[in-house]
């Protein structure tokens, strides 16, 4: 933990790494050591700060990674990437989906999603590519089984495979000169930012993302609306100057 903090890792990164260590430790049948809790470590972690780093993907970055998935014939990865980018799903929400949920989504043009708090939300599907991939994966999956998880593979391992895929190609697909660290969660952020810029209000975005409160969504994405207002004001000022000059 001290090493990660000294290396300049953010609070969220440190917490994620600690959670991963504990997860694999719990998988051990006879662990030699007992892991201390965060409080027992005696090192305080700062609170997570939202909106500090740009984690959104550009269109070309997303398309380049899709191309990699297509070359490897990973239809499961393609569908998950579409769901993150164009429906705002969390990665584990993608991998929870079974054939019944997919069939219902095709009938209703909406996904019924159970989020990390086991709360259910309805996510409209407005991108035809998601529907196309749902049909394709349904044709390959036995009824009653998970759409993106083979029967002989644990769900967490299937999720990790996609995360490793993104990690493997991250530098190759990133825009030239970019220092953003592309992650699956960044696709969810890209969806949210695109929704706000298209005119969706914070409450609508909150419901799409499955956030507990609109205040939390505003805390994360308020900088987007603020920047939009600033850009609009700047354009208006420029317009007034051009008219006055005429």
């Amino acid at each position: 933990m001290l090493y990660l903090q000294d290396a300049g890792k953010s609070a969220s990164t440190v917490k994620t790494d600690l959670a991963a260590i504990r997860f694999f430790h719990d998988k051990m049948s006879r662990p030699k050591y007992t892991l201390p809790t965060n409080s027992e470590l005696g090192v305080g972690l700062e609170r997570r700060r939202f909106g500090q780093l740009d984690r959104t993907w550009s269109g070309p970055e997303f398309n380049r990674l899709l191309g990699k998935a297509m070359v490897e014939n990973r239809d499961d990865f393609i569908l998950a990437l579409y769901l993150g980018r164009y429906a705002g799903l969390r990665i584990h929400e993608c991998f929870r989906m079974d054939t019944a949920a997919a069939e219902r989504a095709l009938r209703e043009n909406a996904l019924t999603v159970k989020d990390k708090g086991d709360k259910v939300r309805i996510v409209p599907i407005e991108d035809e590519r998601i529907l196309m991939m749902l049909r394709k994966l349904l044709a390959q999956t036995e009824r009653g089984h998970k759409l993106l998880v083979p029967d002989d593979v644990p769900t967490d391992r299937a999720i990790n495979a996609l995360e490793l895929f993104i990690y493997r190609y991250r530098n190759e697909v990133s825009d030239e000169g970019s220092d953003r660290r592309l992650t699956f969660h960044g696709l969810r952020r890209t969806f949210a930012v695109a929704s706000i810029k298209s005119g969706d209000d914070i409450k609508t975005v909150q419901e799409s993302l499955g956030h507990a409160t609109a205040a939390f969504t505003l805390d994360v994405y308020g900088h987007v609306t603020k920047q939009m207002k600033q850009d609009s004001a700047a354009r208006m000022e420029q317009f007034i100057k051009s008219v006055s000059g005429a």
Side-chain angles (χ1 to χ4, degrees), residues 1-2 14 18 22 34-45:
M1 183 172 173
L2 287 172
V14 175
L18 290 175
R22 291 198 173 91
T34 300
L35 297 181
T37 64
N38 286 358
S39 58
E40 289 172 338
L41 286 172
V43 181
L45 284 172

Side-chain angles (χ1 to χ4, degrees), residues 226-239:
K226 181 179 180 181
Q227 185 61 52
M228 289 172 62
K229 290 177 182 178
Q230 291 174 343
D231 292 344
S232 178
R235 287 194 297 270
M236 179 58 70
E237 183 179 354
Q238 185 63 36
F239 173 73

Side-chain angles (χ1 to χ4, degrees), residues 172-206:
E172 188 174 341
V173 305
S174 292
D175 291 336
E176 185 176 356
S178 172
D179 60 355
R180 286 173 292 110
R181 184 168 61 89
L182 300 179
T183 64
F184 186 90
H185 195 74
L187 293 176
R188 180 172 154 87
R189 296 180 69 88
T190 306
F191 164 81
V193 171
S195 297
I196 293 171
K197 289 184 176 180
S198 70
D200 290 348
D201 57 42
I202 289 295
K203 181 64 176 177
T204 300
V205 175
Q206 174 224 334

Side-chain angles (χ1 to χ4, degrees), residues 100-244:
E103 290 169 353
R104 182 175 179 180
L106 289 172
R107 290 195 305 269
E108 302 176 356
N109 276 11
L111 273 168
T112 301
V113 179
K114 182 179 290 188
D115 64 26
K116 60 183 181 181
D118 284 335
K119 295 181 179 179
V120 175
R121 73 182 190 277
I122 306 299
V123 180
I125 301 177
E126 300 178 351
D127 193 284
E128 177 59 34
R129 288 167 292 188
I130 294 178
L131 300 176
M132 175 190 70
M133 291 307 300
L134 284 174
R135 296 187 192 99
K136 187 172 184 179
L137 268 294
L138 269 174
Q140 304 170 11
T141 308
E142 186 178 347
R143 194 178 183 88
H145 293 241
K146 287 187 176 181
L147 211 62
L148 302 180
V149 183
D151 291 341
D152 58 345
V153 176
T155 300
D156 60 290
R157 187 174 299 175
I159 291 174
N160 185 243
L162 175 54
E163 292 174 327
L164 289 175
F165 173 81
I166 296 173
Y167 177 79
R168 184 164 76 247
Y169 289 115
R170 185 164 60 197
N171 292 338
E172 188 174 341
V173 305
S174 292
D175 291 336
E176 185 176 356
S178 172
D179 60 355
R180 286 173 292 110
R181 184 168 61 89
L182 300 179
T183 64
F184 186 90
H185 195 74
L187 293 176
R188 180 172 154 87
R189 296 180 69 88
T190 306
F191 164 81
V193 171
S195 297
I196 293 171
K197 289 184 176 180
S198 70
D200 290 348
D201 57 42
I202 289 295
K203 181 64 176 177
T204 300
V205 175
Q206 174 224 334
E207 293 173 349
S208 296
L209 295 174
H211 286 165
T213 65
F216 178 82
T217 307
L218 186 61
D219 185 32
V220 179
Y221 297 107
H223 68 286
V224 179
T225 54
K226 181 179 180 181
Q227 185 61 52
M228 289 172 62
K229 290 177 182 178
Q230 291 174 343
D231 292 344
S232 178
R235 287 194 297 270
M236 179 58 70
E237 183 179 354
Q238 185 63 36
F239 173 73
I240 292 174
K241 286 181 179 178
S242 65
V243 173
S244 299

Side-chain angles (χ1 to χ4, degrees), residues 3-28:
Y3 171 80
L4 293 171
Q5 289 183 315
D6 289 342
K9 302 299 182 182
S10 67
S12 60
T13 298
V14 175
K15 290 178 180 177
T16 299
D17 287 353
L18 290 175
I21 292 170
R22 291 198 173 91
F23 174 82
F24 287 107
H25 182 267
D26 291 342
K27 293 284 186 180
M28 300 172 64

